[in-house]
Amino acid sequence: MKAEIIAVGTELLLGQIVNTNAQFLSRACADLGVSVYFQTVVGDNESRLTEAIRIASSRADLVICTGGLGPTQDDLTKDVLAAYTGQKLHIHQPSMDKIEAFFRNRGAHMVESNRRQALMLEGSDPLPNDTGMAVGVALTHEQTHFILLPGPPKEMKPMFERYASVWISAKMGEVRPLYSRMLKFAGIGESLLEHELIDLIQDQTDPTIATYAKEGEVAVRLTTRASSEAEAEKALAPVESEIRSRLGQYIYSNEDIPLEEEIIRLMQNKQLKLAVAESCTGGLVSDLLTAVPGSSAVFQGGIVVYTNEWKNRLLSVPLDVLEGTGAPGAISDVTARLLAENLLKQSDTDYAIAITGVAGPGESEGKPVGLVYIGVAQKRGETVIKQLQLAGNRELIKLRAAKSALYQLWKLL
Amino acid sequence: MKAEIIAVGTELLLGQIVNTNAQFLSRACADLGVSVYFQTVVGDNESRLTEAIRIASSRADLVICTGGLGPTQDDLTKDVLAAYTGQKLHIHQPSMDKIEAFFRNRGAHMVESNRRQALMLEGSDPLPNDTGMAVGVALTHEQTHFILLPGPPKEMKPMFERYASVWISAKMGEVRPLYSRMLKFAGIGESLLEHELIDLIQDQTDPTIATYAKEGEVAVRLTTRASSEAEAEKALAPVESEIRSRLGQYIYSNEDIPLEEEIIRLMQNKQLKLAVAESCTGGLVSDLLTAVPGSSAVFQGGIVVYTNEWKNRLLSVPLDVLEGTGAPGAISDVTARLLAENLLKQSDTDYAIAITGVAGPGESEGKPVGLVYIGVAQKRGETVIKQLQLAGNRELIKLRAAKSALYQLWKLL
């Protein structure tokens, strides 16, 4: 099946927002086995939207529109498709009831234009909106399938995942839903990961295997179609265990969560406490950990020892380690160890992480940009010290150093 | 002038990357006074790219393509436009010299396919690539103007800003370049800012006025055409001073830099030192400050006092302030003041910031999500305490609290 995605909205043509909907839908179509050949963006304009729909239906079997389902006069997508296909518009009563209830419950007056959000085309199937008011539309007209989705991602995504994808699969003669599994990796880069799995990736048919990289983490996603959870398991399990046998030491979760969330979860379950001392990462590790709701049960606190004076005064690293000819310096395994071990003692936690290094742009202590030392001290066990040479700009080195430190901690848990 | 933007690349249709180029170019066209009516994305496929170019040139005066100028067999954009317009391809010698020099300087062997990056269409103007190798193309064919730009944003943006925009302006009979000025605001939300400037925004003709909001900051951009810097100044200055007379207290820069960068710059010039104590922001303020290169001259360190024990042990907030019936609690003006003042004394800096509040998702100490207290202690002056009620999820509240704290500091500098 060939698809085209049309995003409707003048704010896209003015460059006020980025078209992330097109990315989401393209990826979702790939999962369904649908090939996207074109993406189009058009403004809130009747004649140009009509033209976009005409061109799309001449070259695609499936046309997915996002945007223009709201209550205002600018929201034209349903009207345009109705005129284009010759199908009349009518009110979808369950959606209308929901909209009225929404206003009633808030004791607010419902402006008449809100009724527009309950409009449906004759002969179409409704796509429920679980996170908003405008009902979606699925319609087949002269061999072309049309899907109309709302523009806001928080309404569009669940509507696609829960309803539109099922409708499209059925039109493809495919009633088995998609099952997918995410394996999250830390401590390994995307290129090495791909290298280790290249034979699996190249030979993939079912399940499909895709790698993703963002913000210092890498993920592998396995996707298959199956009639039941058990059947999906049968297809996914052998591939997952082959991947685990090669790279299991780097897999921290089979859910799509960041490493810091998994660490907080593990430590909370074991009732373990953590403290952090940061130099080159400048507070980023603490920021990542405290982004996880409930982290206060685990994370006690952090110290950003940015200067040598702070390293000395707050965490008792001797000045003759930090400075002077022949001294190891602030960026050294000795300092990483002292920061971690002194913080552990002082804070009486189960683990303490320390990071010191050169984030750039210039070198420091004559040491190169990207050189980073990580120390993890533990109440019951030896301190682990790791030396890394990271690539990237200041921002990326901070992020990679932070994720690497979290990875060293995770390995010990 | 009506424009269409065509982004070429199968990775866009697979959803592997977001089409940020379309956003950049749409905004840049708006600045030039060019109206973008359509954006199209098409894969690395000869016949579909030809079709996209055919449709675009039937409905636009200006067709801007990005992507497909590289050395590989997938990079087809120049070949397709050559075939479509009937113009022959030839090597652009200055670009070829540059490519050969690049390989020679690295002592690397130049693969023959790299020559493709120096190709130009007969009758076209070259658009120099200051940050990469593939030369861009500007061509007028049967009343339609075509611009071919590379796909990587770091090559595409400078090529557009330095060369393509000038070429387009000339085609519009406009030889005056654009001048713009960015006013960066802190401590004010986008809707209040728009409300205060609504008459200026609505009546705008020259200069144009646009507001932007992202990551806890708001900006206003003024743009005009002028034959000289002095003429631009004449158009921009009265509007800027009108905006400053209304909202000057919130404007921290007329360059596009984040608030933390301006703070580091100001404090570095005055040789002032800073320390930070964070509770609900969890290290984010320190992370923002240390993202600025050279911040170590100003930022001494930070303490993330996430638990009451740390607030007490590291910054001497009495336990009977933090806990117990009738106590102010950790989330209070009293605690914000003590954290800031004790940190100032202890670290011997010129300023110390403290932030304590409820980032959510649940309430804390019976206090609502979004309640935040900020304290800024100063060596020469009274401590400033600010109470805020912020909206958003955990991530947004952390960010808004961090930026608000930086704003309170900036006001004192």
Side-chain angles (χ1 to χ4, degrees):
Chain A
M1 187 180 274
K2 289 187 289 184
E4 175 154 351
I5 295 163
I6 301 178
V8 186
T10 302
E11 66 278 20
L12 288 161
L13 294 182
L14 290 172
Q16 288 166 349
I17 56 171
V18 186
N19 193 2
T20 54
N21 282 356
Q23 182 189 31
F24 171 86
L25 289 168
S26 292
R27 194 179 284 182
C29 281
D31 284 344
L32 289 170
V34 171
S35 305
V36 175
Y37 280 176
F38 292 94
Q39 296 168 358
T40 300
V41 176
V42 58
D44 304 306
N45 174 285
E46 195 176 331
S47 68
R48 288 193 288 273
L49 177 52
T50 305
E51 188 192 343
I53 287 178
R54 184 185 55 73
I55 292 174
S57 39
S58 76
R59 61 191 182 185
D61 313 305
L62 169 66
V63 179
I64 304 176
C65 298
T66 63
L69 304 196
T72 76
Q73 291 308 310
D74 271 358
D75 292 304
L76 297 166
T77 310
K78 286 175 182 172
D79 308 73
V80 166
L81 187 64
Y84 180 75
T85 58
Q87 303 296 313
K88 286 214 181 69
L89 288 168
H90 65 269
I91 291 288
H92 179 241
Q93 201 53 48
S95 298
M96 194 64 237
D97 294 346
K98 191 179 142 189
I99 294 169
E100 284 172 348
F102 174 87
F103 284 96
R104 204 168 42 241
N105 291 340
R106 271 163 191 71
H109 171 70
M110 190 188 90
V111 180
E112 191 57 22
S113 60
N114 277 294
R115 295 174 61 84
R116 288 176 52 75
Q117 299 188 86
L119 285 175
M120 287 268 301
L121 277 75
E122 243 172 41
S124 72
D125 298 311
L127 301 173
N129 189 334
D130 295 342
T131 51
M133 287 199 276
V135 63
V137 170
L139 170 75
T140 302
H141 175 78
E142 293 177 359
Q143 271 102 61
T144 307
H145 307 299
F146 293 93
I147 298 272
L148 307 189
L149 303 170
K154 78 170 182 40
E155 300 179 31
M156 184 277 291
K157 291 181 184 181
M159 188 182 287
F160 188 87
E161 285 174 340
R162 295 174 201 167
Y163 307 108
S165 67
V166 177
W167 190 89
I168 294 167
S169 296
K171 294 292 171 184
M172 296 169 78
E174 181 56 75
V175 291
R176 295 174 305 165
L178 283 170
Y179 290 85
S180 59
R181 181 166 303 172
M182 195 71 121
L183 301 175
K184 294 288 302 260
F185 292 73
I188 184 170
E190 191 182 22
S191 50
L192 181 55
L193 181 131
E194 245 177 30
H195 175 78
E196 295 291 332
L197 303 179
I198 192 69
D199 55 320
L200 299 179
I201 293 171
Q202 281 176 346
D203 297 345
Q204 63 176 287
T205 46
D206 180 35
T208 57
I209 304 173
T211 65
Y212 299 93
K214 67 164 183 180
E215 293 176 5
E217 293 186 356
V218 191
V220 169
R221 187 140 156 273
L222 310 177
T223 307
T224 189
R225 282 193 181 280
S227 323
S228 67
E229 190 102 30
E231 192 187 309
E233 182 59 28
K234 244 200 239 163
L236 297 174
V239 182
E240 178 178 346
S241 72
E242 177 59 31
I243 295 173
R244 281 190 183 272
S245 77
R246 298 185 193 186
L247 300 169
Q249 72 203 88
Y250 303 108
I251 300 174
Y252 68 83
S253 181
N254 53 12
E255 283 175 75
D256 189 13
I257 57 171
L259 179 56
E260 51 274 16
E261 190 172 331
E262 175 65 10
I263 286 174
I264 295 289
R265 199 188 62 75
L266 281 172
M267 294 187 79
Q268 197 167 1
N269 287 345
K270 299 182 185 174
Q271 295 190 295
L272 295 170
K273 307 233 177 280
L274 173 65
V276 177
E278 305 186 60
S279 183
C280 64
T281 48
L284 178 56
V285 174
S286 297
D287 181 37
L288 291 172
L289 288 164
T290 59
V292 181
S295 49
S296 57
V298 171
F299 177 73
Q300 302 300 292
I303 308 186
V304 184
V305 284
Y306 218 50
T307 58
N308 283 347
E309 198 225 314
W310 275 57
K311 290 182 184 76
N312 171 253
R313 190 166 54 76
L314 274 94
L315 289 170
S316 314
V317 181
L319 283 175
D320 58 11
V321 166
L322 295 168
E323 288 163 6
T325 354
I331 299 142
S332 65
D333 52 352
V334 180
T335 298
R337 177 183 296 276
L338 285 168
L339 287 173
E341 291 180 351
N342 294 350
L343 177 62
L344 186 82
K345 262 179 264 165
Q346 195 173 304
S347 62
D348 193 31
T349 49
D350 302 283
Y351 291 88
I353 303 178
I355 304 125
T356 182
V358 190
E363 54 172 39
S364 181
E365 295 183 347
K367 290 159 187 166
V369 173
L371 176 68
V372 172
Y373 292 91
I374 290 164
V376 184
Q378 36 185 344
K379 203 179 250 178
R380 288 163 282 283
E382 291 293 300
T383 301
V384 175
I385 303 291
K386 201 86 192 171
Q387 178 187 329
L388 302 169
Q389 181 58 51
L390 302 171
N393 59 17
R394 186 178 175 92
E395 191 188 342
L396 264 177
I397 288 173
K398 282 182 72 174
L399 181 62
R400 287 173 175 162
K403 290 283 183 177
S404 301
L406 291 170
Y407 172 64
Q408 293 304 325
L409 170 63
W410 172 77
K411 282 208 292 183
L412 298 176
L413 293 173
Chain B
M1 188 179 270
K2 289 187 289 183
E4 175 154 349
I5 295 163
I6 301 178
V8 186
T10 302
E11 67 278 21
L12 288 161
L13 294 181
L14 291 172
Q16 289 166 348
I17 56 171
V18 186
N19 192 3
T20 54
N21 282 357
Q23 182 189 32
F24 171 85
L25 290 168
S26 292
R27 195 180 282 181
C29 281
D31 284 345
L32 290 170
V34 171
S35 305
V36 176
Y37 280 176
F38 293 94
Q39 297 168 359
T40 300
V41 176
V42 58
D44 304 306
N45 174 284
E46 195 176 332
S47 68
R48 288 193 287 275
L49 178 52
T50 305
E51 189 192 343
I53 286 178
R54 185 185 55 72
I55 292 173
S57 39
S58 76
R59 62 190 182 186
D61 314 305
L62 169 66
V63 178
I64 304 176
C65 298
T66 64
L69 304 195
T72 76
Q73 291 309 310
D74 271 357
D75 293 304
L76 297 166
T77 310
K78 286 175 182 171
D79 308 74
V80 166
L81 187 65
Y84 180 75
T85 59
Q87 303 296 313
K88 287 215 179 68
L89 288 169
H90 66 268
I91 291 287
H92 180 242
Q93 202 51 48
S95 298
M96 193 64 238
D97 294 346
K98 191 179 143 188
I99 295 169
E100 285 172 347
F102 174 87
F103 284 96
R104 203 169 42 241
N105 291 340
R106 272 164 189 69
H109 171 70
M110 190 188 88
V111 180
E112 191 57 22
S113 59
N114 277 295
R115 294 175 62 83
R116 289 175 52 74
Q117 299 188 89
L119 284 175
M120 288 267 300
L121 277 76
E122 241 172 44
S124 73
D125 298 311
L127 300 173
N129 189 336
D130 295 342
T131 50
M133 285 199 277
V135 63
V137 170
L139 171 75
T140 302
H141 176 79
E142 293 177 359
Q143 270 102 61
T144 307
H145 307 300
F146 294 92
I147 298 272
L148 307 189
L149 303 170
K154 77 168 182 41
E155 299 179 33
M156 184 277 291
K157 290 181 184 182
M159 188 182 288
F160 188 87
E161 285 175 338
R162 294 174 202 168
Y163 307 108
S165 67
V166 177
W167 191 89
I168 294 167
S169 297
K171 294 293 171 184
M172 297 169 77
E174 180 56 76
V175 291
R176 294 173 306 165
L178 282 171
Y179 290 85
S180 59
R181 181 166 304 171
M182 195 71 121
L183 301 176
K184 293 288 303 260
F185 291 73
I188 184 171
E190 190 181 23
S191 49
L192 181 55
L193 181 131
E194 243 177 32
H195 176 78
E196 296 291 331
L197 303 179
I198 191 69
D199 54 320
L200 300 179
I201 293 171
Q202 282 177 345
D203 297 345
Q204 63 175 287
T205 46
D206 179 36
T208 57
I209 305 173
T211 65
Y212 300 91
K214 68 165 183 180
E215 293 176 6
E217 294 186 356
V218 191
V220 169
R221 187 138 155 274
L222 309 177
T223 307
T224 190
R225 282 193 181 280
S227 325
S228 67
E229 191 104 29
E231 193 187 308
E233 181 59 27
K234 243 199 239 166
L236 297 174
V239 183
E240 178 179 347
S241 73
E242 177 59 31
I243 295 173
R244 283 191 182 271
S245 77
R246 298 184 192 187
L247 300 169
Q249 72 204 93
Y250 303 108
I251 300 174
Y252 67 83
S253 181
N254 52 12
E255 283 174 74
D256 190 12
I257 57 172
L259 179 56
E260 51 274 15
E261 190 172 331
E262 175 64 10
I263 286 174
I264 295 290
R265 198 188 62 74
L266 280 173
M267 294 186 79
Q268 197 166 0
N269 287 346
K270 299 182 185 176
Q271 296 190 294
L272 296 170
K273 308 234 176 275
L274 173 66
V276 177
E278 305 185 60
S279 184
C280 65
T281 49
L284 178 56
V285 174
S286 297
D287 182 36
L288 290 172
L289 288 164
T290 59
V292 181
S295 50
S296 57
V298 170
F299 177 74
Q300 303 299 293
I303 309 186
V304 184
V305 285
Y306 219 50
T307 58
N308 283 348
E309 197 225 317
W310 275 57
K311 289 181 185 75
N312 172 253
R313 189 166 54 76
L314 274 94
L315 289 170
S316 315
V317 182
L319 283 175
D320 58 11
V321 166
L322 295 167
E323 288 162 7
T325 355
I331 299 141
S332 65
D333 52 352
V334 181
T335 298
R337 178 183 295 276
L338 285 167
L339 288 172
E341 292 180 352
N342 294 349
L343 177 62
L344 186 82
K345 262 179 264 166
Q346 196 173 302
S347 61
D348 192 31
T349 49
D350 302 283
Y351 290 89
I353 303 178
I355 305 126
T356 181
V358 190
E363 53 172 39
S364 180
E365 296 184 346
K367 290 159 188 166
V369 173
L371 177 68
V372 172
Y373 292 91
I374 289 163
V376 184
Q378 36 184 344
K379 204 180 248 178
R380 288 163 283 281
E382 292 291 299
T383 301
V384 174
I385 303 290
K386 201 85 193 173
Q387 179 187 328
L388 302 169
Q389 181 58 51
L390 302 171
N393 59 17
R394 185 178 176 91
E395 191 188 343
L396 264 177
I397 288 173
K398 282 182 71 175
L399 181 61
R400 287 172 174 162
K403 290 283 183 175
S404 301
L406 291 170
Y407 172 64
Q408 294 304 325
L409 169 63
W410 172 77
K411 282 209 292 183
L412 298 175
L413 292 173

